[in-house]
Amino acid sequence: MAEAQIRHHDLCFGCGQANLFGLQLEVSRSGEGVEGRFFVKQDHQGPPGYAHGGVIATALDEAMALLLFDRGTFALTRRLEVDLKAPAPVGTFVQVSARLESERGRTLELSAEAAGEDGRRLAAAKGTFVRRSA
């Protein structure tokens, strides 16, 4: 990752590098979006040997939120729709990417994807975020 990593703060569950129980998601700019990865730890298990589906959903939500944060947009998740396609094994990296699809007033629509180390698609998400009113 050539560009600087994007982070909310050091203790953020999604991207905080000081949060040992979190995802420690590493994300940087990529074209019009962001991309990065996180390592599936034993603490992230749902079914034995695989990441909990909620962990994958969290990573996708975090990637979309970090894209907005990097743009200087303070917005909160209103709706998150996740389609889990394949399991993510413990002890592997999951690649994530996110992009902005549309922006109407205070509402922003984003999409995100997760893939395994082998490039296999693990999950896709759509997120609706709402910009905080002043």
Side-chain angles (χ1 to χ4, degrees), residues 37-75:
R37 68 184 190 165
F38 75 98
F39 187 74
V40 180
K41 303 178 223 173
Q42 290 183 18
D43 294 333
H44 299 151
Q45 287 184 91
Y50 295 97
H52 188 287
V55 166
I56 301 300
T58 298
L60 295 171
D61 181 52
E62 182 71 2
M64 292 184 282
L66 286 170
L67 171 58
L68 296 176
F69 180 76
D70 187 54
R71 291 175 37 143
T73 302
F74 182 79

Side-chain angles (χ1 to χ4, degrees), residues 1 5 14-15 17 23-28 34-40 59 63 66 92-97 113-117:
M1 289 181 224
Q5 290 183 13
C15 64
Q17 298 302 300
L23 301 182
Q24 297 177 325
L25 180 64
E26 300 171 346
V27 170
S28 61
V34 295
E35 60 182 39
R37 68 184 190 165
F38 75 98
F39 187 74
V40 180
L66 286 170
T92 63
F93 281 97
V94 172
Q95 309 294 325
V96 297
S97 62
E113 292 189 359
E117 291 176 334

Side-chain angles (χ1 to χ4, degrees), residues 56-65 68 76-85 97-102 107-114 121 123-129:
I56 301 300
T58 298
L60 295 171
D61 181 52
E62 182 71 2
M64 292 184 282
L68 296 176
L76 300 172
T77 310
R78 172 181 280 171
R79 180 177 173 81
L80 178 65
E81 182 180 331
V82 179
D83 187 12
L84 299 168
K85 307 231 179 235
S97 62
R99 65 185 174 276
L100 179 64
E101 298 293 342
S102 68
T107 303
L108 304 110
E109 301 288 340
L110 290 94
S111 63
E113 292 189 359
R121 192 171 189 206
K126 293 179 183 179
T128 301
F129 289 72

Side-chain angles (χ1 to χ4, degrees), residues 1-23:
M1 289 181 224
E3 295 195 37
Q5 290 183 13
I6 304 163
R7 293 192 185 123
H8 287 123
H9 57 86
D10 285 341
L11 291 176
C12 175
F13 181 80
C15 64
Q17 298 302 300
N19 188 332
L20 301 180
F21 298 103
L23 301 182

